[in-house]
Amino acid sequence: PNFIKPENVVVYKSQDAIVVNSKDTAINAVSIYDSVGRKLFEKTNLNTTNVNFSNINANNQILLVKVTLTDNKTVVRKILF
């Protein structure tokens, strides 16, 4: 199948950072958007299974975290930050 199991990519808040973990496949890129669709952060060419974003100035709003894996599959997660 050409889909990502929900438990394989996890996005969570840890203190003042957003952490992205991929269980099986390495992460190629991560983009973070606010609820209006503005891109706040982006990291590319990562090739890792764990990514941290710190120094985020987003108080009590929903952020969309777009994760692209090295196999070109993409998943979007919502997080309250």
Side-chain angles (χ1 to χ4, degrees):
N2 196 17
F3 63 89
I4 301 170
K5 293 181 182 176
E7 63 272 11
N8 285 354
V9 176
V10 180
V11 177
Y12 62 94
K13 180 179 177 181
S14 177
Q15 297 175 346
D16 289 333
I18 292 177
V19 180
V20 181
N21 281 323
S22 176
K23 181 179 174 185
D24 296 328
T25 308
I27 299 167
N28 184 45
V30 178
S31 301
I32 299 178
Y33 301 88
D34 65 12
S35 59
V36 182
R38 291 179 297 214
K39 187 184 295 183
L40 303 177
F41 295 95
E42 182 175 49
K43 290 186 181 182
T44 59
N45 300 317
L46 297 169
N47 200 27
T48 184
T49 57
N50 188 310
V51 181
N52 293 310
F53 286 86
S54 56
N55 299 323
I56 296 175
N57 295 324
N59 295 327
N60 279 338
Q61 66 173 308
I62 293 176
L63 300 178
L64 300 175
V65 181
K66 179 181 176 184
V67 182
T68 304
L69 303 177
T70 54
D71 61 4
N72 287 327
K73 293 180 182 174
T74 301
V75 64
V76 176
R77 298 283 190 252
K78 294 179 189 174
I79 186 169
L80 179 63
F81 194 85

